[in-house]
Amino acid sequence: MRNSFANAFYDLAKKDSRICLVVADITAAAGVASFRKEFPTRFVDVGVAEQSMVGFAAGLALRGCIPFTYSIAPFTLYRPFEQVRVDCCYQNLPVKLVAVGGGLSYSTLGGTHHSPEDIAVFSALPNMTILAPCDPAETAAATRAAIDVPGPVFLRLGKAGEPDLTGRAPEPFQFGRVRTIRAGSDLCILSYGPVVKMAVQVAERFEKEQKRSCAVVSVHTLKPLDREGIAKTLARFPVVGVIEEHSCVGGLASQVKQLAWESAAKCRLKTFS
């Protein structure tokens, strides 16, 4: 995912001089290295100072730029939270907050590098858009979509080495719409981010052991959430599951449960957070 983002970002930046990158003592991948070499005046490394990273990006946005920030997920969310909330969201500025290692991707590094509450926290902020692609191809599509969002965007990425999950998807990526990436009819799993890999594995196991057809839907846009698309899924399938790498409070599971209640869904709903 990191390479996919970096390459997509570089392609976009070559065509739009407003795009710039602010990092906090970390670089993404080859694409970012190429961008830094080719456009040194549009690349800023503030050092280990995430609050300055976000505040600086907000200032660039006020000057007409489209700034991207890049850091590990907890250092994009928790440390500079006031700057994200006040500088970016309250002013509805087009700052694109790219967070690598969302959820528990950095599992071996302990709690300081985990972000299991990120969707809940950022969902509560006004004007914030949340994108959580599941594989490299969706990451490139989400990066391109982020440019067209007029306000702040939280782009939640995995760490590295995620497999291709959407190459044969029956539906294309569309901002703000859930996407079937694996067809099925007996039950359906809703998921997002790198943990979609687990959802696909579960679907394959169901079909092999239970002889039941299992669909997998990528909910790559978590805010604005495709309430209509999820409601249709709840109405279509007799069994629906939600698998996410997030706290059981405030994530996708909580919102799907609310939608199920509001739409009087008859399906059996199981959530795993």
Side-chain angles (χ1 to χ4, degrees):
M1 280 190 178
R2 289 182 298 189
N3 286 337
S4 183
F5 159 73
N7 294 334
F9 170 82
Y10 177 55
D11 289 341
L12 290 166
K14 287 189 296 184
K15 302 171 185 175
D16 191 336
S17 61
R18 297 174 300 166
I19 296 175
C20 51
L21 182 64
V22 186
V23 302
D25 196 35
I26 185 173
T27 56
V32 166
S34 299
F35 170 80
R36 181 177 186 178
K37 182 178 181 180
E38 190 169 343
F39 307 106
T41 61
R42 291 158 58 191
F43 178 90
V44 180
D45 187 344
V46 301
V48 186
E50 289 82 5
Q51 296 97 329
S52 296
M53 175 183 72
V54 176
F56 193 93
L60 288 172
L62 287 171
R63 300 295 293 178
C65 297
I66 302 177
F68 281 70
T69 69
Y70 183 91
S71 187
I72 296 172
F75 306 139
T76 298
L77 168 62
Y78 306 117
R79 193 181 301 274
F81 179 75
E82 181 179 3
Q83 285 72 27
V84 172
R85 175 176 175 264
V86 177
D87 296 353
C88 300
C89 292
Y90 280 11
Q91 300 184 83
N92 198 23
L93 297 178
V95 177
K96 318 307 177 184
L97 304 161
V98 182
V100 64
L104 303 176
S105 296
Y106 283 101
S107 59
T108 58
L109 297 183
T112 58
H113 284 60
H114 299 168
S115 57
E117 314 90 356
D118 51 2
I119 303 302
V121 173
F122 272 176
S123 290
L125 295 178
N127 300 315
M128 179 64 77
T129 292
I130 302 175
L131 296 169
C134 70
D135 73 350
E138 266 199 357
T139 296
T143 303
R144 291 189 293 267
I147 290 291
D148 296 326
V149 176
V153 176
F154 176 49
L155 180 56
R156 183 188 197 257
L157 306 181
K159 186 179 177 183
E162 292 83 7
D164 173 21
L165 300 173
T166 62
R168 298 182 178 180
E171 295 180 351
F173 176 95
Q174 185 179 357
F175 172 78
R177 295 288 182 266
V178 296
R179 174 193 193 189
T180 299
I181 63 171
R182 191 178 194 278
S185 56
D186 296 322
L187 63 153
C188 179
I189 300 174
L190 303 170
S191 190
Y192 61 89
V195 79
V196 172
K197 174 185 175 181
M198 181 183 295
V200 171
Q201 292 172 340
V202 170
E204 292 172 346
R205 184 172 177 179
F206 260 106
E207 294 200 348
K208 181 179 179 181
E209 298 180 2
Q210 303 293 330
K211 309 301 180 185
R212 303 173 72 186
S213 176
C214 184
V216 177
V217 170
S218 172
V219 189
H220 49 72
T221 304
L222 290 155
K223 186 184 178 186
L225 189 66
D226 184 6
R227 294 170 61 87
E228 181 180 355
I230 292 176
K232 288 180 178 178
T233 299
L234 294 170
R236 176 186 171 192
F237 291 90
V239 180
V240 176
V242 179
I243 297 177
E244 65 178 332
E245 191 180 19
H246 189 273
S247 166
C248 60
V249 177
L252 177 62
S254 297
Q255 296 183 73
V256 172
K257 288 177 181 177
Q258 180 180 346
L259 277 170
W261 173 262
E262 292 175 355
S263 63
K266 304 299 183 184
C267 65
R268 181 183 178 190
L269 178 60
K270 303 290 272 185
T271 61
F272 304 89
S273 300

